[in-house]
Every structure is written in structure tokens, then in C-alpha cells.
Amino acid sequence: MTQKILVLPGDGIGPEITAQASRILAACQARGLDVDVEEGLLGGAAYDVHGEPLPAETLEKAKAARAILLGAVGGPKWDKIEDLSKRPEKGLLGVRKQLGLFGNLRPAITYPQLADASSLKPELVAGLDIMIVRELTGGIYFGQPRGIEERDGERVGFNTYVYSESEIERIGRVAFEMAQKRGKKLCSVDKANVLEVTILWREVMERLAPEYPDVELSHMYVDNAAMQLVRAPKQFDVVVTGNMFGDILSDAAAMLTGSIGMLPSASLNESGQGMYEPCHGSAPDIAGQGIANPLATILSVAMMLRYSLDEPALAQRIEDAVGQVLDDGLRTADIASEGMRTVSTAEMGDAVLAAFEAR
Ligand code: NAD
């Protein structure tokens, strides 16, 4: 059956980078990928046309799609919108919420060709390949009650860190299954020495473990995990953690690779429907200049093929093509180094496409 793909270019460099990723998607169609691709408006681009960052039409298309490819949303143009519910990022949060995208996959991969770009010594990061599985729709970012109120003559701010067993179990299963497909090591990150909610988190992970006997489960407190990530990051294979810890650790892990322009991500729901997007934002400082790195978005298409469309061979072909252009010495400005050829967004797209076709 033909599956639907929705491309949401968004704002800033979004349209430039999704244009290159769409060319790769079209090349996959030419090789038999049975998908129907359409575009929609999200974020500031949608606000400008419809006065809403997530118009009903876009939401409808998103619900009907097997997978969504997003560029990025936001930018200074919309930072002054007073009604916070109309800000571009609300569009993105709305899609995540409406589709129930609870499982966030954030790979941190250091291409050997780019190991020098990391802030850590190349030998610590060369060949790094971590997958952080972050719970995305629960935890302290959404827990009730929350607010700022007056108590005993002063203002008090409060949030609630809450996870139910079922929420922990479903993200745990995503992580165990991911570990089964990779290096078979899963590290669950919590703060079970202090927080009851993560004592429960640890108990549920332990309870699931016998169902995945081929996966070695370990536990780490979040403070130690932060330390280990910069001390010896290659010890990790798959890491599973809650929303807030995952937010922080995945950004730190991303920086280990030295190049945010290279990192894709995925957010999945229970039926495997997913939204795929680069980890970076809309980079308004370079928007419209044709110099943005499209590789994170192109690699997001590879993740889409692997996790929502069950096409691992095409995914691998894209990843190999990206490796090939890096081997050939092509670099966009953000990953440029001496002796390498600095290319534009479109030239990088051309090169990946050529390498994809040639394989
Ligand atoms: P950013 O990731 O957009 O940019 C940070 C820096 O990295 C900038 O110097 C930028 O030029 C550079 N950069 C990012 N992606 C690049 C690429 N593909 N190629 C080359 N260089 C790249 O983060 P920011 O500056 O904090 O945020 C800018 C806007 O993006 C804000 O409006 C923010 O809200 C939004 N944002 C959106 C998302 C999303 O849509 N998922 C995520 C983060 C930030």
C-alpha cells in the first residue's frame, strides 16, 4: 500500500535543507519506494499565512501520514508574537502531542572523517555511535500541578515530576528493542538515590529486562552519566532516560560529535508513525545564504526509512552516500577544515545524490 509522507520545511534554513532531503526521497521513489509525498506549512511559515503555527489542514495531513520530515521552526521574526500559543515552536509541540510521539531517538555519531571537529580528543570520539532514547511526552515538563504562586508572603515556583508504570514501560520497550538491533547494551539513566519517580523507573526497567535476555541492562545516576559522557563516551550503546535528563544529555552527546549540522533525530508513537528532523534549529543567522549543512536532514530521511518505512537497505544506502562525500573531502562551512572543499547546500545535495545513485 502506498504510504503518505508529509514534508514540513518550516522556517529559516528549513526550506533549503528539506529541498535537498526531498531530492534523496525522490531518488528512493525512483528505486521503488512506494510513497506519496506532499508538503505542508508549520511554524512561522504557517503563522504568516493562517495566523496559526499548526493549521488544521497541516494537522490533518500529519495524522494521515506514516512519517513526517520536518526542517526546523522559529526565528526572530516571530519572537515578538505576544500570544505564546501562536509562537512557531507551539506548532512543533502540537504535532508531537497530537500524534502521541513519546519516543525520541537521538543518535550521536561521530564520523571518523570529522573526529577533529569534536571538543574532545579525536581518540575519545572517533567511531562514537550512541543512541539516546528520551521519553518525550511526560515527566516534569508536563506534570501537574505546576505554576508560580504566593505562599507565606513570597512567590514559589513548582513543577511535578511524574511517570506512570505504563509510560515507563512503553519507552523501556522502545529502548530494549533498539538495543537488540544494535550493540545489545542498554544503560538506563535515573536519579534513584533521590527521586521516588525514578526509583519506579528503575524497577520497571528491571522488570522488563528478562523479556530481553540478549540485552545487558545497566543503571547510572544522571550526574555520573553526564560525567561519563565526556570522560569515555564510547562505553555507551543505547541510553534510555526521562524527558528532562534526556533533553540535557542528548544535547551534550550531540556536541561530542562536534557538528550539530550532522545529527538527525526521530520521534515515534506506538504504531511506528514518526516525525524525523535534524537536531539543530532554523539557524536564522545563515538562512537564505545557501550555505546550511543539509546532511542532518538527509540522514533524517535515512532514519525515516529505517524506523517508519521498514526499508533498511535504502537507509544504509543514504548513510553510505553521506560517508562517501565526506571521504571525498566535501564540507559545508560549519564542518569545514583545512584542505577540504567548502561547498554550498545545493552542491552537498548534488554530491550525496550522485553518491547514492552510484552505489
Ligand atoms: P540553531 O541550531 O538554529 O543554530 C545554532 C548555530 O548552529 C547557529 O550558528 C547556526 O547557524 C548553526 N547551525 C545550525 N544548523 C546548521 C546547519 N544545518 N548548517 C550550518 N550551521 C547550522 O539554534 P538557535 O540559534 O538556538 O535557534 C534558532 C531558532 O531555531 C530559534 O528560533 C529556535 O527556537 C529554533 N529552534 C528550532 C528547533 C526545531 O525546529 N526543532 C530546534 C532548536 C531551535
Side-chain angles (χ1 to χ4, degrees):
M1 197 184 79
T2 308
Q3 312 221 59
K4 286 197 166 129
I5 307 288
L6 176 63
V7 178
L8 299 171
D11 309 318
I13 59 170
E16 299 165 51
I17 53 180
T18 50
Q20 300 309 319
S22 293
R23 292 172 72 199
I24 299 287
L25 200 50
C28 292
Q29 284 177 291
R31 287 178 181 274
L33 178 70
D34 189 10
V35 292
D36 184 11
V37 183
E38 58 178 351
E39 280 208 5
L41 291 172
L42 185 78
Y47 177 83
D48 287 349
V49 176
H50 297 282
E52 296 283 344
L54 175 54
E57 187 187 323
T58 301
L59 183 59
E60 215 168 285
K61 285 182 184 172
K63 284 182 173 165
R66 176 67 182 160
I68 300 165
L69 179 68
L70 169 71
V73 296
K77 183 178 173 194
W78 303 281
D79 282 349
K80 286 176 217 75
I81 300 174
E82 283 198 1
D83 180 351
L84 293 184
S85 70
K86 306 271 190 210
R87 293 261 178 104
E89 45 276 27
K90 290 291 178 201
L92 181 56
L93 293 176
V95 175
R96 281 184 188 156
K97 188 163 180 236
Q98 293 287 335
L99 269 59
L101 302 174
F102 70 91
N104 188 214
L105 311 181
R106 293 265 311 248
I109 297 169
T110 307
Y111 285 83
Q113 303 92 326
L114 301 178
D116 282 338
S118 174
S119 49
L120 294 192
K121 297 188 194 93
E123 63 267 26
L124 287 182
V125 293
L128 180 77
D129 184 355
I130 305 176
M131 177 68 84
I132 296 188
V133 178
R134 166 189 169 195
E135 201 290 327
L136 201 57
T137 53
I140 195 163
Y141 291 176
F142 294 93
Q144 294 288 348
R146 61 192 295 160
I148 301 174
E149 65 184 30
E150 187 98 8
R151 290 184 198 165
D152 299 328
E154 64 171 344
R155 293 204 307 154
V156 174
F158 55 97
N159 291 86
T160 302
Y161 192 176
V162 55
Y163 271 120
S164 65
E165 279 184 294
S166 58
E167 280 177 305
I168 303 168
E169 183 173 328
R170 67 179 185 176
I171 193 73
R173 289 196 183 283
V174 169
F176 273 105
E177 282 165 27
M178 183 64 60
Q180 280 183 320
K181 289 187 203 141
R182 295 175 39 108
K184 304 196 169 24
K185 273 169 56 182
L186 175 61
C187 179
S188 171
V189 171
D190 60 40
K191 189 73 183 169
N193 50 342
V194 179
L195 298 170
E196 283 80 357
V197 48
T198 68
I199 293 176
L200 182 67
W201 178 282
R202 195 176 275 221
E203 277 177 24
V204 173
M205 292 297 160
E206 281 293 329
R207 196 179 74 213
L208 292 177
E211 293 183 43
Y212 305 89
D214 50 337
V215 175
E216 180 198 319
L217 173 69
S218 62
H219 304 278
M220 204 179 270
Y221 297 140
V222 63
D223 43 342
N224 188 25
M227 204 162 70
Q228 296 301 329
L229 259 184
V230 291
R231 192 188 72 85
K234 282 194 252 180
Q235 69 185 282
F236 295 107
D237 174 21
V238 179
V239 172
V240 63
T241 190
N243 204 343
M244 180 169 60
F245 296 161
D247 191 5
I248 299 164
L249 292 181
S250 60
D251 267 19
M255 272 300 105
L256 297 179
T257 72
S259 40
I260 192 140
M262 297 294 303
L263 294 173
S265 75
S267 307
L268 303 173
N269 68 15
E270 261 147 320
S271 63
Q273 193 183 19
M275 179 151 75
Y276 296 82
E277 56 182 313
C279 286
H280 57 74
S282 58
D285 53 333
I286 58 164
Q289 297 177 27
I291 59 169
N293 186 346
L295 293 179
T297 319
I298 289 172
L299 290 167
S300 299
V301 173
M303 283 191 91
M304 174 191 286
L305 289 161
R306 187 165 276 130
Y307 298 117
S308 284
L309 301 174
D310 200 19
E311 292 280 357
L314 280 173
Q316 192 62 50
R317 198 181 177 99
I318 294 175
E319 287 159 358
D320 290 346
V322 169
Q324 172 79 54
V325 299
L326 294 177
D327 278 342
D328 292 345
L330 272 72
R331 304 281 188 272
T332 42
D334 57 310
I335 52 172
S337 58
E338 245 177 55
M340 300 290 168
R341 210 177 118 219
T342 305
V343 297
S344 68
T345 310
E347 284 171 321
M348 186 57 101
D350 290 345
V352 176
L353 197 56
F356 178 88
E357 297 292 5
R359 298 196 84 81

